[in-house]
Amino acid sequence: MPAFCEDGPAARRASIPTCTDTEGTRLHSHHRSAAAANPGTQTTLSICHLTPAWQREGCREAAGAECDLLFLCPPERVAVWDAVAAYVQEHLLVQKGVWIPTFGSFDTISRDIRTEDGTVTLRWPVFHLSGNLIAVHHLKPRRESLPAHRKLEPLKSSEVAAAASVTWQTAQACIQSTVSLLSGCLKNGENVAVVFKDIGVLHIDGLTFHMKFYYDFLEKLSGKEKFRKALLKAPWLLDMVVSRAAPVASLALSGCLVVFPK
């Protein structure tokens, strides 16, 4: 049975419920680590549990090798982050930004695309990673982030909790412990992806991060006809698009990829 590690103070929060789920998400590739190949059964706290970094050392050191990464997540965590994504999407669609404390912020701006028939103005999403995460892990955006100058309202934990059918304390604990675990993964040199349901995927690879959005979400923001018209004249916009059909693991250039929240 593989060993699992817990993430510091977040793992010891008394308000986080226990869970006995034994199903995990596995990212498949050519190389299979021994720990990931034999998941076993284990009771877990309400945070993701990863095989310890020392067990994956051989995976990271093997030239050109990729590995499986098995981790467990209880339903509450997935439900909370799905509710966060729904909350963010609802606000962005009415041109309101959202600040997720300790994690980052989402907003929209006007973006002009010149075409033969004139200028097409799109409503474009903008993501800014938390300054603390950037400073602690020396991260930088793969592309310079577009500016968003207005002050944003913080995420309302009570609304997220109601949508996820949990208490607001559990909702806050899930968000904070996920950020804590994500930070621990970055400290250990792991590549990380955070999936926001129906919005897109944040990918942190090495020292760079990049937020990509789903095609249909961008259509919703600007209108299907307007977005497609702009795309014909500015195909470089596709660099900001991630396919729903493509496996999240395909974002990783090499090595393991830890995917949150599931």
Side-chain angles (χ1 to χ4, degrees):
M1 178 181 298
F4 290 90
C5 64
E6 298 177 2
D7 177 52
R12 296 189 289 273
R13 293 176 186 266
S15 62
I16 302 178
T18 58
C19 175
T20 57
D21 283 18
T22 58
E23 296 298 324
T25 299
R26 187 187 300 273
L27 302 184
H28 295 282
S29 60
H30 301 297
H31 173 73
R32 296 173 62 87
S33 66
N38 300 281
T41 301
Q42 179 161 332
T43 299
T44 68
L45 289 175
S46 183
I47 67 169
C48 299
H49 288 64
L50 305 174
T51 48
W54 62 267
Q55 287 189 2
R56 301 194 298 274
E57 203 62 35
C59 164
R60 290 200 296 271
E61 293 178 354
E66 295 180 346
C67 73
D68 284 355
L69 183 59
L70 173 68
F71 60 98
L72 306 177
C73 269
E76 291 89 348
R77 176 170 303 280
V78 176
V80 166
W81 279 99
D82 282 353
V84 168
Y87 181 97
V88 170
Q89 180 176 201
E90 179 182 344
H91 283 67
L92 293 184
L93 290 177
V94 293
Q95 302 183 20
K96 293 181 179 179
V98 178
W99 169 48
I100 306 174
T102 74
F103 182 80
S105 63
F106 288 89
D107 202 356
T108 63
I109 61 171
S110 294
R111 190 167 190 177
D112 293 335
I113 306 296
R114 294 182 179 179
T115 71
E116 296 176 355
D117 301 324
T119 299
V120 176
T121 301
L122 301 179
R123 201 68 204 168
W124 200 257
V126 177
F127 173 77
H128 291 280
L129 190 63
S130 163
N132 286 339
L133 288 175
I134 289 176
V136 170
H137 301 291
H138 310 290
L139 301 173
K140 59 182 180 180
R142 191 174 302 171
R143 289 173 168 262
E144 285 302 317
S145 300
L146 296 172
H149 300 296
R150 59 180 174 174
K151 185 177 180 180
L152 303 179
E153 292 294 326
L155 179 79
K156 292 186 178 180
S157 298
S158 59
E159 293 187 22
V160 169
S165 299
V166 299
T167 64
W168 68 265
Q169 294 94 333
T170 297
Q172 285 190 337
C174 281
I175 294 170
Q176 295 304 317
S177 61
T178 299
V179 174
S180 180
L181 183 56
L182 182 151
S183 184
C185 290
L186 295 177
K187 184 178 180 180
N188 289 335
E190 306 286 359
N191 297 325
V192 173
V194 183
V195 179
F196 287 87
K197 184 178 180 181
D198 296 330
I199 295 178
V201 181
L202 170 66
H203 180 215
I204 306 177
D205 191 335
L207 297 178
T208 63
F209 64 91
H210 193 196
M211 183 73 201
K212 292 193 172 188
F213 299 93
Y214 295 128
Y215 189 97
D216 58 327
F217 172 67
L218 295 174
E219 285 184 331
K220 288 180 181 178
L221 278 181
S222 296
K224 184 179 297 186
E225 183 177 344
K226 184 183 291 187
F227 177 67
R228 292 183 177 181
K229 181 179 179 181
L231 198 59
L232 289 174
K233 300 300 179 180
W236 49 266
L237 290 173
L238 286 174
D239 187 49
M240 300 290 293
V241 177
V242 62
S243 170
R244 288 179 180 270
V248 177
S250 66
L251 293 173
L253 300 178
S254 63
C256 300
L257 181 65
V258 185
V259 181
F260 295 92
K262 53 188 176 182

